Amino acid sequence: MLIVKIALGLFGLGIVVFVHELGHFLAARLVGIDVEAFSIGWGNPIIKKKIGSVEYRLGMFPIGGYCKMKGENDYKEFCDNFDNGVKPQDGSYLAASPPARILVSFAGPFFNLLFAILLLSFLWGFGFEINTLGNKIVLASQIYGSSFPADEAGLKTGDRIIAIGSKPVTYYHEIQENIILNPNKPLRITVERNGEIITLNVTPALDKSSGAGRIGVSFWAEPVIDNVKPQSAASRAGLKNGDVIISANGYDVSNSVDFMTARQDRQNLFIEYERDGIRLKTEISEEDLEGELGFSWKSIQYHTGRLSIPAAVVKGFSEGYKTLVVSLKSLRLLFMGIDLTSAVSGPVRITYMIGDMAAQGFGQGLGTALRSTMEFLSLISIALCVMNLLPLPIIDGGMIILFIIEWIRRKPIPPKAISVFQNCGMVIIFGLLVLAVFGDILFFIRQ
C-alpha cells in the first residue's frame, strides 16, 4: 500500500511541477527566448525526443523538473565582461530585457495559481459531497485532563458554536478553519447553550508542532456507527452500520469522546448498543484493541450542488484567493517559535500526503478520490506559487528581485553583490531543506 501511495503522490506532484515549468516554457517562447530542453523530473533522461529546437525529456527522478533556456547559466560571465562590450547571444536568456526575464520567472508561480483555480472551478462546477460534523463541541480537557483556552474562556461540552467573530458557523470544519489560522489572536465566539445565546472571548494557543491555532475543543459526534470495515475488530464483534452505542465499560455514551474515554478504562471493551430498537451487548478483546476498531462515526453529508460555468469560475477564484491568503499567513508562523521539523514538509512527505489522500479517496469511491486529490493538488499548487515567489536566490522570487534592480540600474548587478546574495540565500534554503528532510524522516518513523 505504501508503494501505491508513493506512486500516486509522484504522479500528482509531477502534474504540479509540469504546470509550473510549462509557465516558464510558454513565457520564454512568448518573449523570444530559445528553450533548449523541457524536462519533467531530474537526473539523466530515460526518455527524450527533440521536436523543433526543443528537446523534451522525462528524468530518472520524477520529483521536480526544469525548463532549460539558452544562456541562462551565463549570468556571471556576462556580468564580468559587460564593461568590455560583450553582448549575449541572440535568443538567449540574457539577451532578453529585464522585464521579459521578470515575466518568465513570474509565469511559473502564476501558472500554479491558475491551475489551482482551474481545479477548484472544475470541482464547484460539477459539485461534490462534503462529509463533516455539526457545530456542537466537546472540551478536549475531558480527554487529556489538562486545561485549554476553551476552558479558560468558559466554553462547555455540549455548547453549539454558531459564530466566530462576524462569521456564522454551521459545521465543525468551519470552526477549525477560523481557529487554525488565528493563533494568539483574540476571537469572539458566540455559542448556544440550553437555548441561551452567550458571547465569549477566547485566544487560540499556538500549536508549535503544526503552527496552527488551537483552543482545545473536539467535535461532538453522535454515537452512531458508520462504515464498518470488513474483517476489522468492530466487524468481528458483530457491530454494523447504524448501531447506536449506549454505553462502554459501564459508562454512558452520549458522543464519540465519551466512547474514547471509556475505552481507556479497561483492557477489554464491553459495549452496549441499540439496533432496530433492540438492546444488544458485545465485547472487543484486548488484542483487537491494539489496532484500529475499524469504524467511523456517522457524519453529516451534503452536496454542494452544480454551479454554472461563470459561477464556478467565480467560486474557483474565491476559493483560490482564500487558500492563497492562508498560505501567506502560514509563512509568518515560521517566525513564531514553531517546531520546524514537524511544520515544514519536504518533497518526500508531500509526495506521501498526496498519495495518501488519493488512496483514502479510492476506498470511498472514484468520485471521492478525484475530489480529495484535486483539492490537495490545488493547495500544493498555491503553496508552490507562494514559496517560489519568496525573495530568495535560485528560486523565481529571488531572480525577479535581481532583474528589477538591473532594470532600475540599466546595467547588470556587480557579480560580487550577486555572490553575497546567492550565498546568503543558499544558507537559508539549505537550512530549510535539512529541516524538511529531517522532519520527513521523523514523520515516517511516527507512522
Side-chain angles (χ1 to χ4, degrees):
M1 191 62 179
L2 178 61
I3 295 176
V4 173
K5 290 180 181 180
I6 292 175
L8 290 170
L10 287 174
F11 179 73
L13 193 59
I15 292 174
V16 174
V17 172
F18 169 78
V19 170
H20 181 91
E21 296 302 325
L22 181 64
H24 291 315
F25 173 77
L26 294 178
R29 299 296 293 268
L30 178 67
V31 299
I33 297 174
D34 294 336
V35 178
E36 296 178 341
F38 182 78
S39 176
I40 298 300
W42 291 94
N44 294 328
I46 54 177
I47 300 175
K48 59 182 179 180
K49 182 175 179 61
K50 193 163 187 176
I51 302 176
S53 61
V54 183
E55 183 176 84
Y56 297 90
R57 305 170 180 171
L58 178 64
M60 183 180 297
F61 303 104
I63 298 179
Y66 58 87
C67 172
K68 187 176 185 297
M69 290 169 272
K70 181 179 178 181
E72 65 178 315
N73 297 322
D74 300 335
Y75 194 77
K76 185 179 185 305
E77 181 182 350
F78 171 61
C79 292
D80 287 339
N81 295 283
F82 179 78
D83 293 332
N84 297 328
V86 174
K87 301 280 186 181
Q89 298 179 18
D90 291 340
S92 70
Y93 183 66
L94 295 176
S97 65
R101 280 177 271 150
I102 291 170
L103 176 64
V104 172
S105 295
F106 181 73
F110 181 66
F111 262 55
N112 279 130
L113 180 61
L114 287 183
F115 178 62
I117 291 172
L118 178 64
L119 289 178
L120 294 169
S121 299
F122 181 85
L123 282 175
W124 284 96
F126 281 87
F128 52 93
E129 292 285 341
I130 292 181
N131 293 319
T132 185
L133 290 160
N135 53 3
K136 200 172 182 180
I137 63 165
V138 178
L139 294 180
S141 55
Q142 285 189 213
I143 307 171
Y144 303 105
S146 56
S147 179
F148 292 91
D151 300 85
E152 298 167 6
L155 284 163
K156 294 183 178 180
T157 291
D159 283 348
R160 195 178 296 277
I161 297 179
I162 59 176
I164 297 179
S166 59
K167 298 179 182 178
V169 169
T170 305
Y171 301 107
Y172 184 74
H173 70 269
E174 295 171 328
I175 299 174
Q176 289 178 303
E177 289 171 3
N178 282 281
I179 291 173
I180 285 172
L181 299 177
N182 293 292
N184 300 327
K185 181 180 177 180
L187 298 175
R188 187 179 74 257
I189 293 182
T190 305
V191 303
E192 179 186 341
R193 181 186 299 164
N194 299 324
E196 183 182 358
I197 304 301
I198 302 171
T199 300
L200 303 168
N201 294 311
V202 60
T203 301
L206 174 66
D207 182 357
K208 293 187 177 182
S209 66
S210 64
R214 60 182 302 192
I215 62 173
V217 299
S218 180
F219 55 82
W220 176 298
E222 298 297 330
V224 180
I225 290 177
D226 195 19
N227 293 324
V228 177
K229 295 180 181 179
Q231 308 303 318
S232 64
S235 177
R236 287 192 293 272
L239 296 173
K240 296 182 179 181
N241 292 355
D243 288 347
V244 181
I245 305 295
I246 298 171
S247 68
N249 287 341
Y251 294 95
D252 291 339
V253 172
S254 59
N255 56 67
S256 55
V257 174
D258 287 344
F259 181 81
M260 290 171 57
T261 305
R263 177 184 171 182
Q264 299 170 0
D265 192 52
R266 294 187 187 178
Q267 293 179 327
N268 290 6
L269 181 59
F270 299 92
I271 299 174
E272 184 178 6
Y273 61 100
E274 183 177 296
R275 178 187 299 164
D276 299 327
I278 302 173
R279 289 204 172 197
L280 303 168
K281 294 181 179 181
T282 189
E283 178 183 354
I284 299 178
S285 68
E286 181 181 359
E287 292 180 358
D288 274 343
L289 288 173
E290 291 179 0
E292 294 183 0
L293 289 180
F295 73 85
S296 59
W297 301 108
K298 189 172 181 61
S299 59
I300 298 172
Q301 294 183 336
Y302 67 92
H303 195 277
T304 61
R306 291 171 176 257
L307 298 181
S308 65
I309 293 178
V313 171
V314 170
K315 187 66 175 178
F317 269 94
S318 173
E319 293 297 310
Y321 174 76
K322 185 190 298 183
T323 305
L324 180 63
V325 171
V326 170
S327 299
L328 291 172
K329 282 185 175 182
S330 298
L331 287 176
R332 67 185 178 89
L333 297 175
L334 297 176
F335 307 97
M336 295 176 63
I338 65 172
D339 180 1
L340 295 177
T341 60
S342 296
V344 178
S345 297
V348 177
R349 198 185 330 178
I350 291 172
T351 299
Y352 175 83
M353 290 165 68
I354 294 173
D356 189 45
M357 290 288 289
Q360 287 183 22
F362 278 119
Q364 301 175 36
L366 180 60
T368 301
L370 290 175
R371 177 185 65 80
S372 58
T373 302
M374 290 172 72
E375 284 182 329
F376 197 67
L377 284 178
S378 68
L379 173 63
I380 294 297
S381 197
I382 290 177
L384 188 63
C385 165
V386 172
M387 295 304 294
N388 269 279
L389 288 177
L390 293 177
L392 297 174
I394 301 176
I395 59 178
D396 299 317
M399 302 308 297
I400 289 173
I401 294 295
L402 289 179
F403 299 148
I404 289 175
I405 295 173
E406 181 182 337
W407 190 9
I408 295 172
R409 283 168 47 88
R410 298 182 181 276
K411 63 179 181 179
I413 301 169
K416 186 175 181 180
I418 294 176
S419 177
V420 172
F421 178 68
Q422 298 277 30
N423 289 337
C424 290
M426 283 294 293
V427 170
I428 296 173
I429 292 175
F430 182 74
L432 287 174
L433 180 61
V434 169
L435 283 170
V437 172
F438 182 64
D440 287 352
I441 294 171
L442 292 178
F443 173 79
F444 283 104
I445 290 174
R446 293 167 185 154
Q447 292 300 300

